[in-house]
Amino acid sequence: MWMALVACFAAAPGAGLAAQDAHDASPISPRRVADVAAHLRGTSAALFRHETRGARGSASDLNDVVQTVCVRCHNDERLRGNLSLEAFDVAAAYEQADIAEKMIRKLRAEMMPPPGTRKPPPDTLLALVETLESTIDGAARQNPNPGRRTFQRLNRPEYERAIRDLLALDVDAGDWLPLDQMSANFDNIADVQALSPTLLDAYLNAAAEISRMAVGNRDAPPVNKTYKNSQYLSQHPWDHVEGAPFGTRGGMVVEHVFPADAEYAFELTFTSGSNSRLEDVDISIDGERVALLHYTRLGGGADDRGFTPIRTEPVFVRAGQRRVSAAFIRRSEGPYEDLIRPHDWSLAGGGSGGEGITTLPHLQTLVIGGPYEATGISESPTRQRIFTCRPTTPDEEPPCAREIIASLATRAYRRPVAESEVDDLMSFYDAGSSDGGFEVGVRRALEAILVSPYFVLRLEREPVGAAAGGGAYRLDDVELASRLSFFLWGTPPDEELREVASAGRLTRSGELERQTRRMLEDPRAEALSSRFVVQWLRLQDLYKNRPDPNFYPNFDENLADAMHRETELFFSSLVREDRSALDLFNADYTYVNERLARHYGFEGVAGSHFQRVQYPDDTRRGILGHGSVLVLTSLANRTSPVLRGKWVMEVLLGTPPPPPPPGVPDLEETESARDGRLLTTRERMEMHRASPACRSCHRFMDPIVPALDNFDVTGKWRLRESGMPLDTRGDFYDGTPVQTPGELADVLLKRPLPLVRNFTENLMAYALGRRVEYYDQPTIRRIVAEAETDEYRISSLIMGVISSDAFQKKQTMPVTADEEMPEAGS
């Protein structure tokens, strides 16, 4: 009978603790069985008396629970999850806070003791977790640790936004900078943002090219810039590209920088179709047509496969960044069906069309060549942003240049600049102006600003003597402003925030909250959706799954884009309306355009613009009904119970399952057919988890999945799979019956603390630019407890993070030679 009491704590993220039960396949030595039996005989009477009375008990009683229930797995011999609790003392939990936090996480999610084992009464488990929390939190108040991170550098999105704010210029940082490494779900975590000679060269190349793009270059040599369409994009009549003229279909819209007033040529290549012999293609710049090309699909030869390009005559375009669109004139309205749908081996995969494919032509590439016959450089928003003064004589050039450079450096460095710094930058101006005049000098100084560590790196200065004194120190207002702006906007501080911080007013009574609320009301707060939520929910993985077109012919990248946008707009509404974080899971509305609404089966939505709609029934609730989540947790040809269950456990609850034991066969190797019919995913999963080695993890993941199995690979509602009616009945790991997505949301919301704490933990990691450690958990619990009185509103959680010591302070640490930084502000 003693085996029925075995219960194990699985680890928090990164610890790799495996939940095990009485059916665990690992052997137990006879000596250990005898020891356990003897121990149980001595303690069972006290334990069951404790269970019967249901009392919360003292620390001694709670230690009995740990030693009698938890140590069965987590002992020095079995060492489940590489953890032993034999020496753990509840009263001194703060001395082993890293272990205690793992226990708290699993207890709050009610995952431990695991299903199928005899448990102490809920009152006892609640007393255990509350005692652990209060003990650790009390110790943390006496000895706070705000943590520390090294410098951060601008990653790709931050670099792009910083350039846009500084120069009114849209650039693609991917043209120069390598992919950002992810850590703790995010791409802004400082401990993985290493600097290498290759990366430094990339920033140098970016600065040189961007400075030329910004100022313009009358002597620029002719070059060809190629823009490509994804091979998975549809360009059918209902697929209008945002920014293209009305009445067009497909094509592409790009932001192209024209270096000088000159002539430019536009060249297009196509993927051929066979439904049309003649297509008209509109070429427009900033909404004004500059050319109308005619594409004819000829019989045979290169033209038949669409590889022969068509080209405009030279077109005069003024300098600056301009929106260029190339799109087909739409000749029909309403639905359009290909007679033979393109598949991955034809249009979608190879981009060639292939024989028998009856689709419309698709634009493959747009090439912009030039400049030819340059005549000068016209004014543009970017040049107006740079040249805040205009010298009329040679004597006026140096003071004007100094004014320009000081203004650019102040905004680029995100702080006031010293006269000595301006002097250094003027040396670059002097060298450039002697070679090419005033504008070349300014361009050289701008290039120096863009490669400065004060621009590329987000530096935070440690006060003199802080390390010797130990403890923590507070960031100054300018550094705090930078943290705040990159958190909420993903950009450097705006003028108002810089002025408040420079005057030392940001940390005065009420000012930080006022600035935070002002920034949350600004459209730039969409960065919390496009940056934070996209990475937390792992929406980038949406594009890694390409549903098999043989089974899902109507899925393309346009639909994936709409799903991605739906989730962004949904979270933006939570921020804008200051709703509860729990609305992520139970909201009865979403945002769709006509294409996505048609896919979901919603009626009454027309057009390409997104609009807010109420869910027509209870088949969808919150983000669990979003196609983005459902597609990224599927495979190309079937739904994935493992991926969906793991996603809920790891992303929403913060309790990831351990990796599967070695040698466990993949679900694909499980029998797929029986008695002349294909087995459903549920039937194959039941066979798969029959293995004792698999059951310990699948008992947590599998109950999550049936409730979502009515959603197919593409997030579309279904009632049958492989010709068989779907059976979505199941029991959550706490025994609650769950059959529908709504019931799944309800059972998750029975435990709001794990959901909100995990959300706050990810929010804090993104805000701090470092991993959240065990010593941050008391802060997270405090933020969530305070937000509970405000119904867990998004603003309360955000304000809690911003007002925390972790956000406003740093722990001191001796600076090594490798970590020495220039003495400058953030």
Side-chain angles (χ1 to χ4, degrees):
M1 295 296 295
W2 70 272
M3 291 289 285
L5 290 173
V6 174
C8 308
F9 287 101
L17 290 175
Q20 303 290 342
D21 64 5
H23 302 287
D24 194 298
S26 304
I28 305 174
S29 68
R31 180 178 67 81
R32 189 61 195 165
V33 172
D35 290 345
V36 169
H39 186 74
L40 279 175
R41 282 193 296 272
T43 59
S44 59
L47 175 62
F48 289 127
R49 282 198 303 273
H50 178 78
E51 289 181 352
T52 301
R53 68 175 181 266
R56 290 181 175 260
S58 64
S60 175
D61 294 332
L62 296 176
N63 272 330
D64 284 343
V65 175
V66 174
Q67 295 300 317
T68 308
V69 178
C70 309
V71 173
R72 298 302 135 250
C73 294
H74 300 294
N75 54 63
D76 293 341
E77 184 172 331
R78 300 188 72 185
L79 208 64
R80 291 292 174 231
N82 197 31
L83 175 67
S84 173
L85 296 177
E86 288 192 15
F88 186 82
D89 182 3
V90 173
Y94 59 88
E95 296 179 358
Q96 293 179 287
D98 56 336
I99 293 175
E101 292 295 351
K102 298 167 187 175
M103 299 169 65
I104 290 170
R105 189 179 295 265
K106 291 297 184 178
L107 284 168
R108 281 298 187 185
E110 299 181 24
M111 289 183 172
M112 291 294 146
T117 61
R118 189 172 180 180
K119 305 179 182 182
D123 228 20
T124 300
L125 295 176
L126 181 60
L128 174 59
V129 69
E130 287 183 345
T131 301
L132 292 174
E133 290 175 352
S134 62
T135 301
I136 295 172
D137 294 353
R141 285 191 293 271
Q142 298 299 319
N143 186 26
N145 180 2
R148 181 181 187 273
R149 63 165 170 80
T150 60
F151 67 89
Q152 285 181 282
R153 62 171 174 81
L154 299 183
N155 57 25
R156 279 186 177 185
E158 291 169 345
Y159 189 86
E160 291 171 356
R161 289 168 185 253
I163 293 295
R164 184 186 307 129
D165 277 8
L166 180 65
L167 302 173
L169 190 68
D170 290 307
V171 300
D172 182 357
D175 290 341
W176 308 284
L177 305 182
L179 284 171
D180 298 307
Q181 188 172 343
M182 304 286 288
S183 177
N185 291 332
F186 302 107
D187 61 7
N188 66 341
I189 303 301
D191 61 5
V192 297
Q193 290 186 324
L195 285 174
S196 66
T198 301
L199 186 57
L200 293 176
D201 282 343
Y203 280 115
L204 287 169
N205 292 334
E209 192 163 345
I210 290 172
S211 62
R212 285 171 169 78
M213 293 165 63
V215 174
N217 184 8
R218 179 174 180 173
D219 300 322
V223 296
N224 288 339
K225 173 70 174 179
T226 301
Y227 299 93
K228 295 182 179 180
N229 255 334
S230 168
Q231 59 191 5
Y232 295 97
L233 279 173
S234 167
Q235 299 182 41
H236 285 101
W238 58 78
D239 292 315
H240 174 77
V241 179
E242 185 176 356
F246 289 108
T248 61
R249 69 166 181 89
M252 70 174 75
V253 176
V254 301
E255 297 288 337
H256 182 78
V257 176
F258 296 89
D261 300 345
E263 292 184 339
Y264 297 85
F266 301 86
E267 182 177 284
L268 298 87
T269 62
F270 303 86
T271 295
S272 180
S274 60
N275 272 4
S276 178
R277 293 282 176 177
L278 176 65
E279 293 285 341
D280 293 327
V281 184
D282 175 276
I283 309 290
S284 293
I285 298 178
D286 292 340
E288 181 180 349
R289 179 183 292 176
V290 297
L292 184 65
L293 301 179
H294 305 288
Y295 167 71
T296 303
R297 182 183 184 276
L298 304 175
D303 282 337
D304 185 54
R305 299 183 62 81
F307 291 131
T308 298
I310 59 176
R311 183 182 177 95
T312 68
E313 294 296 324
V315 176
F316 181 80
V317 183
R318 296 193 179 276
Q321 185 167 65
R322 304 190 179 280
R323 175 170 293 182
V324 179
S325 71
F328 296 98
I329 300 297
R330 189 170 63 220
R331 294 186 169 185
S332 62
E333 299 288 344
Y336 171 89
E337 291 293 336
D338 297 313
L339 299 180
I340 303 178
R341 184 73 175 177
H343 289 294
D344 58 346
W345 43 264
S346 60
L347 177 61
S352 62
E355 291 302 322
I357 298 304
T358 57
T359 188
L360 295 172
H362 282 40
L363 179 63
Q364 200 171 35
T365 65
L366 166 64
V367 181
I368 302 177
Y372 308 106
E373 305 295 334
T375 60
I377 302 176
S378 292
E379 284 306 291
S380 66
T382 299
R383 284 175 57 86
Q384 291 171 359
R385 184 74 62 91
I386 295 171
F387 295 107
T388 55
C389 60
R390 296 287 181 177
T392 58
T393 67
D395 291 341
E396 292 178 354
E397 290 182 356
C400 178
R402 190 176 187 89
E403 177 185 327
I404 290 171
I405 291 168
S407 174
L408 288 171
T410 297
R411 290 185 284 125
Y413 297 169
R414 306 175 285 278
R415 60 172 175 81
V417 293
E419 287 297 317
S420 59
E421 293 177 297
V422 181
D423 291 340
D424 291 339
L425 292 171
M426 282 297 293
S427 66
F428 291 93
Y429 164 81
D430 292 337
S433 62
S434 64
D435 291 340
F438 175 76
E439 291 198 357
V440 173
V442 171
R443 190 186 74 197
R444 293 275 183 88
L446 174 59
E447 184 177 345
I449 290 171
L450 297 182
V451 297
S452 169
Y454 304 127
F455 174 69
V456 174
L457 306 180
R458 292 169 55 190
L459 305 174
E460 293 173 344
R461 178 176 50 192
E462 187 171 289
V464 177
Y473 64 92
R474 185 174 295 277
L475 301 178
D476 68 30
D477 280 25
V478 171
E479 294 164 347
L480 184 61
S482 187
R483 278 200 179 192
L484 180 64
S485 187
F486 277 103
F487 171 31
L488 300 181
W489 288 351
T491 67
D494 66 354
E495 185 175 358
E496 178 177 336
L497 187 57
R498 283 199 311 271
E499 290 179 353
V500 169
S502 298
R505 302 199 311 270
L506 184 58
T507 50
R508 292 183 184 176
S509 177
E511 184 62 29
L512 183 60
E513 181 175 358
R514 191 187 75 79
Q515 289 294 330
T516 298
R517 296 193 180 279
R518 174 184 73 87
M519 295 172 73
L520 288 175
E521 293 173 358
D522 191 281
R524 283 170 286 189
E526 61 80 27
L528 289 170
S529 300
S530 61
R531 296 274 295 123
F532 163 65
V533 160
V534 162
Q535 293 183 81
W536 170 45
L537 300 181
R538 304 179 183 178
L539 298 192
Q540 63 271 16
D541 292 346
L542 168 63
Y543 298 97
K544 296 179 181 178
N545 183 26
R546 304 289 185 181
D548 190 335
N550 291 292
F551 300 103
Y552 308 101
N554 293 314
F555 190 92
D556 50 39
E557 195 163 307
N558 310 62
L559 188 57
D561 289 341
M563 293 175 172
H564 194 283
R565 187 61 178 154
E566 172 193 18
T567 306
E568 287 186 4
L569 290 173
F570 171 69
F571 187 76
S572 287
S573 75
L574 299 186
V575 175
R576 184 175 59 255
E577 300 169 16
D578 198 15
R579 299 174 70 96
S580 170
L582 296 179
D583 282 6
L584 280 163
F585 313 100
N586 64 4
D588 61 356
Y589 70 92
T590 190
Y591 290 81
V592 295
N593 61 5
E594 181 178 359
R595 176 76 190 282
L596 187 57
R598 188 167 62 243
H599 183 75
Y600 287 164
F602 299 170
E603 297 180 354
V605 178
S608 59
H609 294 288
F610 282 79
Q611 54 187 280
R612 178 169 172 162
V613 298
Q614 295 293 123
Y615 285 135
D617 51 46
D618 61 355
T619 57
R620 297 180 191 269
R621 289 270 295 279
I623 57 174
L624 292 177
H626 284 205
S628 57
V629 170
L630 298 166
V631 174
L632 73 88
T633 54
S634 298
L635 300 177
N637 58 355
R638 65 167 176 82
T639 56
S640 174
V642 172
L643 289 180
R644 286 183 177 174
K646 182 175 182 288
W647 186 89
V648 171
M649 291 181 64
E650 188 168 7
V651 174
L652 300 186
L653 291 170
T655 54
V664 174
D666 189 85
L667 182 61
E668 298 297 338
E669 300 176 30
T670 307
E671 182 181 358
S672 60
R674 182 187 295 168
D675 300 330
R677 70 172 180 86
L678 292 174
L679 296 178
T680 64
T681 302
R682 180 189 181 104
E683 291 171 328
R684 297 178 70 189
M685 281 299 302
E686 290 172 350
M687 297 171 60
H688 180 70
R689 67 170 175 257
S691 166
C694 302
R695 188 182 305 117
S696 61
C697 297
H698 281 279
R699 64 186 166 187
F700 292 106
M701 290 189 293
D702 291 2
I704 297 171
V705 175
L708 298 177
D709 210 30
N710 279 120
F711 296 115
D712 69 8
V713 169
T714 67
K716 196 171 185 177
W717 189 260
R718 64 179 180 176
L719 297 175
R720 305 176 73 86
E721 181 189 13
S722 301
M724 298 293 294
L726 280 169
D727 181 4
T728 61
R729 293 173 297 174
D731 293 327
F732 204 66
Y733 58 75
D734 66 352
T736 304
V738 175
Q739 186 172 359
T740 67
E743 291 173 348
L744 175 59
D746 289 339
V747 76
L748 288 173
L749 289 167
K750 284 173 58 179
R751 305 163 184 80
L753 277 184
L755 295 172
V756 182
R757 285 180 180 178
N758 180 62
F759 173 83
T760 307
E761 180 176 324
N762 281 275
L763 189 70
M764 177 173 280
Y766 176 76
L768 299 179
R770 66 167 174 84
R771 300 180 66 89
V772 170
E773 305 292 350
Y774 70 88
Y775 52 75
D776 294 306
Q777 296 304 323
T779 298
I780 291 171
R781 286 192 284 270
R782 178 188 59 77
I783 292 171
V784 172
E786 293 174 355
E788 183 180 9
T789 61
D790 198 25
E791 300 178 337
Y792 300 122
R793 293 187 186 277
I794 298 289
S795 66
S796 296
L797 296 170
I798 290 175
M799 200 62 232
V801 170
I802 291 170
S803 62
S804 69
D805 283 352
F807 192 82
Q808 298 189 22
K809 297 180 179 180
K810 287 177 71 172
Q811 188 74 19
T812 59
M813 182 178 292
V815 179
T816 65
D818 291 339
E819 292 177 318
E820 289 180 357
M821 294 294 155
E823 293 187 0
S826 171

